[in-house]
PDB file of all heavy atoms in Angstrom:
ATOM      1  N   HIS A  56       3.308  -6.937  20.937  1.00  0.00           N
ATOM      2  CA  HIS A  56       3.886  -5.750  21.562  1.00  0.00           C
ATOM      3  C   HIS A  56       3.073  -4.496  21.249  1.00  0.00           C
ATOM      4  O   HIS A  56       2.416  -4.405  20.213  1.00  0.00           O
ATOM      5  CB  HIS A  56       5.327  -5.534  21.085  1.00  0.00           C
ATOM      6  CG  HIS A  56       6.225  -6.686  21.388  1.00  0.00           C
ATOM      7  ND1 HIS A  56       6.678  -6.967  22.654  1.00  0.00           N
ATOM      8  CD2 HIS A  56       6.744  -7.641  20.588  1.00  0.00           C
ATOM      9  CE1 HIS A  56       7.442  -8.033  22.619  1.00  0.00           C
ATOM     10  NE2 HIS A  56       7.500  -8.474  21.363  1.00  0.00           N
ATOM     11  N   VAL A  57       3.157  -3.530  22.156  1.00  0.00           N
ATOM     12  CA  VAL A  57       2.526  -2.227  21.961  1.00  0.00           C
ATOM     13  C   VAL A  57       3.638  -1.195  21.865  1.00  0.00           C
ATOM     14  O   VAL A  57       4.447  -1.055  22.785  1.00  0.00           O
ATOM     15  CB  VAL A  57       1.564  -1.890  23.131  1.00  0.00           C
ATOM     16  CG1 VAL A  57       0.966  -0.507  22.949  1.00  0.00           C
ATOM     17  CG2 VAL A  57       0.464  -2.937  23.229  1.00  0.00           C
ATOM     18  N   TYR A  58       3.693  -0.502  20.729  1.00  0.00           N
ATOM     19  CA  TYR A  58       4.736   0.477  20.454  1.00  0.00           C
ATOM     20  C   TYR A  58       4.130   1.873  20.331  1.00  0.00           C
ATOM     21  O   TYR A  58       3.002   2.011  19.842  1.00  0.00           O
ATOM     22  CB  TYR A  58       5.410   0.187  19.108  1.00  0.00           C
ATOM     23  CG  TYR A  58       6.127  -1.121  19.007  1.00  0.00           C
ATOM     24  CD1 TYR A  58       5.491  -2.262  18.533  1.00  0.00           C
ATOM     25  CD2 TYR A  58       7.469  -1.223  19.357  1.00  0.00           C
ATOM     26  CE1 TYR A  58       6.165  -3.463  18.413  1.00  0.00           C
ATOM     27  CE2 TYR A  58       8.156  -2.424  19.242  1.00  0.00           C
ATOM     28  CZ  TYR A  58       7.492  -3.539  18.773  1.00  0.00           C
ATOM     29  OH  TYR A  58       8.166  -4.721  18.665  1.00  0.00           O
ATOM     30  N   PRO A  59       4.873   2.908  20.692  1.00  0.00           N
ATOM     31  CA  PRO A  59       4.443   4.267  20.340  1.00  0.00           C
ATOM     32  C   PRO A  59       4.482   4.398  18.814  1.00  0.00           C
ATOM     33  O   PRO A  59       5.415   3.900  18.171  1.00  0.00           O
ATOM     34  CB  PRO A  59       5.497   5.169  20.986  1.00  0.00           C
ATOM     35  CG  PRO A  59       6.221   4.317  21.970  1.00  0.00           C
ATOM     36  CD  PRO A  59       6.099   2.906  21.486  1.00  0.00           C
ATOM     37  N   VAL A  60       3.484   5.048  18.222  1.00  0.00           N
ATOM     38  CA  VAL A  60       3.457   5.154  16.760  1.00  0.00           C
ATOM     39  C   VAL A  60       4.673   5.904  16.227  1.00  0.00           C
ATOM     40  O   VAL A  60       5.147   5.619  15.126  1.00  0.00           O
ATOM     41  CB  VAL A  60       2.159   5.790  16.224  1.00  0.00           C
ATOM     42  CG1 VAL A  60       0.963   4.916  16.493  1.00  0.00           C
ATOM     43  CG2 VAL A  60       1.942   7.171  16.744  1.00  0.00           C
ATOM     44  N   MET A  61       5.207   6.832  16.996  1.00  0.00           N
ATOM     45  CA  MET A  61       6.377   7.573  16.537  1.00  0.00           C
ATOM     46  C   MET A  61       7.612   6.670  16.458  1.00  0.00           C
ATOM     47  O   MET A  61       8.441   6.835  15.573  1.00  0.00           O
ATOM     48  CB  MET A  61       6.637   8.784  17.436  1.00  0.00           C
ATOM     49  CG  MET A  61       5.506   9.800  17.405  1.00  0.00           C
ATOM     50  SD  MET A  61       5.164  10.448  15.769  1.00  0.00           S
ATOM     51  CE  MET A  61       6.381  11.742  15.691  1.00  0.00           C
ATOM     52  N   GLN A  62       7.744   5.713  17.366  1.00  0.00           N
ATOM     53  CA  GLN A  62       8.858   4.771  17.302  1.00  0.00           C
ATOM     54  C   GLN A  62       8.742   3.915  16.041  1.00  0.00           C
ATOM     55  O   GLN A  62       9.722   3.709  15.325  1.00  0.00           O
ATOM     56  CB  GLN A  62       8.883   3.872  18.541  1.00  0.00           C
ATOM     57  CG  GLN A  62      10.006   2.853  18.519  1.00  0.00           C
ATOM     58  CD  GLN A  62       9.982   1.885  19.697  1.00  0.00           C
ATOM     59  OE1 GLN A  62       9.001   1.785  20.422  1.00  0.00           O
ATOM     60  NE2 GLN A  62      11.076   1.166  19.874  1.00  0.00           N
ATOM     61  N   VAL A  63       7.539   3.446  15.754  1.00  0.00           N
ATOM     62  CA  VAL A  63       7.319   2.637  14.560  1.00  0.00           C
ATOM     63  C   VAL A  63       7.622   3.462  13.312  1.00  0.00           C
ATOM     64  O   VAL A  63       8.291   2.995  12.389  1.00  0.00           O
ATOM     65  CB  VAL A  63       5.874   2.087  14.521  1.00  0.00           C
ATOM     66  CG1 VAL A  63       5.616   1.338  13.222  1.00  0.00           C
ATOM     67  CG2 VAL A  63       5.606   1.202  15.717  1.00  0.00           C
ATOM     68  N   GLY A  64       7.158   4.703  13.299  1.00  0.00           N
ATOM     69  CA  GLY A  64       7.419   5.572  12.158  1.00  0.00           C
ATOM     70  C   GLY A  64       8.890   5.788  11.913  1.00  0.00           C
ATOM     71  O   GLY A  64       9.355   5.768  10.767  1.00  0.00           O
ATOM     72  N   GLU A  65       9.635   5.971  12.974  1.00  0.00           N
ATOM     73  CA  GLU A  65      11.078   6.181  12.845  1.00  0.00           C
ATOM     74  C   GLU A  65      11.762   4.937  12.274  1.00  0.00           C
ATOM     75  O   GLU A  65      12.647   5.036  11.424  1.00  0.00           O
ATOM     76  CB  GLU A  65      11.670   6.528  14.206  1.00  0.00           C
ATOM     77  CG  GLU A  65      13.132   6.892  14.162  1.00  0.00           C
ATOM     78  CD  GLU A  65      13.629   7.350  15.521  1.00  0.00           C
ATOM     79  OE1 GLU A  65      13.406   6.613  16.510  1.00  0.00           O
ATOM     80  OE2 GLU A  65      14.215   8.433  15.579  1.00  0.00           O
ATOM     81  N   VAL A  66      11.326   3.767  12.711  1.00  0.00           N
ATOM     82  CA  VAL A  66      11.943   2.526  12.244  1.00  0.00           C
ATOM     83  C   VAL A  66      11.604   2.262  10.780  1.00  0.00           C
ATOM     84  O   VAL A  66      12.489   1.967   9.971  1.00  0.00           O
ATOM     85  CB  VAL A  66      11.516   1.326  13.125  1.00  0.00           C
ATOM     86  CG1 VAL A  66      11.952   0.005  12.529  1.00  0.00           C
ATOM     87  CG2 VAL A  66      12.070   1.484  14.536  1.00  0.00           C
ATOM     88  N   ILE A  67      10.335   2.381  10.406  1.00  0.00           N
ATOM     89  CA  ILE A  67       9.954   1.977   9.048  1.00  0.00           C
ATOM     90  C   ILE A  67      10.277   3.037   7.996  1.00  0.00           C
ATOM     91  O   ILE A  67      10.485   2.691   6.841  1.00  0.00           O
ATOM     92  CB  ILE A  67       8.466   1.558   8.959  1.00  0.00           C
ATOM     93  CG1 ILE A  67       7.525   2.716   9.262  1.00  0.00           C
ATOM     94  CG2 ILE A  67       8.189   0.371   9.846  1.00  0.00           C
ATOM     95  CD1 ILE A  67       6.063   2.378   9.062  1.00  0.00           C
ATOM     96  N   THR A  68      10.360   4.307   8.379  1.00  0.00           N
ATOM     97  CA  THR A  68      10.686   5.344   7.388  1.00  0.00           C
ATOM     98  C   THR A  68      12.162   5.733   7.412  1.00  0.00           C
ATOM     99  O   THR A  68      12.631   6.372   6.484  1.00  0.00           O
ATOM    100  CB  THR A  68       9.856   6.622   7.618  1.00  0.00           C
ATOM    101  OG1 THR A  68      10.242   7.234   8.854  1.00  0.00           O
ATOM    102  CG2 THR A  68       8.367   6.338   7.583  1.00  0.00           C
ATOM    103  N   ARG A  69      12.844   5.402   8.501  1.00  0.00           N
ATOM    104  CA  ARG A  69      14.244   5.806   8.706  1.00  0.00           C
ATOM    105  C   ARG A  69      14.384   7.328   8.694  1.00  0.00           C
ATOM    106  O   ARG A  69      15.408   7.863   8.283  1.00  0.00           O
ATOM    107  CB  ARG A  69      15.155   5.162   7.670  1.00  0.00           C
ATOM    108  CG  ARG A  69      15.224   3.665   7.815  1.00  0.00           C
ATOM    109  CD  ARG A  69      16.266   3.075   6.898  1.00  0.00           C
ATOM    110  NE  ARG A  69      16.425   1.655   7.146  1.00  0.00           N
ATOM    111  CZ  ARG A  69      15.863   0.711   6.412  1.00  0.00           C
ATOM    112  NH1 ARG A  69      15.112   1.019   5.387  1.00  0.00           N
ATOM    113  NH2 ARG A  69      16.061  -0.560   6.709  1.00  0.00           N
ATOM    114  N   GLN A  70      13.343   8.011   9.142  1.00  0.00           N
ATOM    115  CA  GLN A  70      13.364   9.462   9.255  1.00  0.00           C
ATOM    116  C   GLN A  70      13.352   9.845  10.726  1.00  0.00           C
ATOM    117  O   GLN A  70      12.951   9.074  11.589  1.00  0.00           O
ATOM    118  CB  GLN A  70      12.134  10.084   8.585  1.00  0.00           C
ATOM    119  CG  GLN A  70      12.092   9.890   7.094  1.00  0.00           C
ATOM    120  CD  GLN A  70      10.853  10.533   6.492  1.00  0.00           C
ATOM    121  OE1 GLN A  70       9.975  11.005   7.176  1.00  0.00           O
ATOM    122  NE2 GLN A  70      10.801  10.539   5.173  1.00  0.00           N
ATOM    123  N   ASN A  71      13.750  11.068  10.982  1.00  0.00           N
ATOM    124  CA  ASN A  71      13.692  11.610  12.325  1.00  0.00           C
ATOM    125  C   ASN A  71      12.232  11.806  12.721  1.00  0.00           C
ATOM    126  O   ASN A  71      11.407  12.176  11.884  1.00  0.00           O
ATOM    127  CB  ASN A  71      14.439  12.948  12.377  1.00  0.00           C
ATOM    128  CG  ASN A  71      14.642  13.422  13.787  1.00  0.00           C
ATOM    129  OD1 ASN A  71      13.692  13.609  14.544  1.00  0.00           O
ATOM    130  ND2 ASN A  71      15.894  13.626  14.141  1.00  0.00           N
ATOM    131  N   ARG A  72      11.911  11.597  13.973  1.00  0.00           N
ATOM    132  CA  ARG A  72      10.528  11.723  14.450  1.00  0.00           C
ATOM    133  C   ARG A  72       9.966  13.132  14.264  1.00  0.00           C
ATOM    134  O   ARG A  72       8.764  13.318  14.213  1.00  0.00           O
ATOM    135  CB  ARG A  72      10.435  11.350  15.923  1.00  0.00           C
ATOM    136  CG  ARG A  72      10.749   9.903  16.174  1.00  0.00           C
ATOM    137  CD  ARG A  72      10.697   9.560  17.624  1.00  0.00           C
ATOM    138  NE  ARG A  72      11.270   8.225  17.819  1.00  0.00           N
ATOM    139  CZ  ARG A  72      11.065   7.502  18.892  1.00  0.00           C
ATOM    140  NH1 ARG A  72      10.346   7.949  19.879  1.00  0.00           N
ATOM    141  NH2 ARG A  72      11.618   6.310  18.983  1.00  0.00           N
ATOM    142  N   ARG A  73      10.834  14.112  14.181  1.00  0.00           N
ATOM    143  CA  ARG A  73      10.361  15.489  13.987  1.00  0.00           C
ATOM    144  C   ARG A  73       9.869  15.734  12.572  1.00  0.00           C
ATOM    145  O   ARG A  73       9.224  16.731  12.301  1.00  0.00           O
ATOM    146  CB  ARG A  73      11.468  16.480  14.324  1.00  0.00           C
ATOM    147  CG  ARG A  73      11.850  16.454  15.796  1.00  0.00           C
ATOM    148  CD  ARG A  73      12.993  17.363  16.052  1.00  0.00           C
ATOM    149  NE  ARG A  73      14.158  16.824  15.329  1.00  0.00           N
ATOM    150  CZ  ARG A  73      15.388  17.245  15.479  1.00  0.00           C
ATOM    151  NH1 ARG A  73      15.646  18.225  16.302  1.00  0.00           N
ATOM    152  NH2 ARG A  73      16.375  16.704  14.809  1.00  0.00           N
TER     153      ARG A  73
END
Side-chain angles (χ1 to χ4, degrees):
H56 301 287
V57 177
Y58 297 92
V60 294
M61 297 301 276
Q62 179 184 14
V63 175
E65 185 175 52
V66 170
I67 64 175
T68 67
R69 294 187 174 99
Q70 294 180 353
N71 191 302
R72 295 178 191 198
R73 294 176 295 191

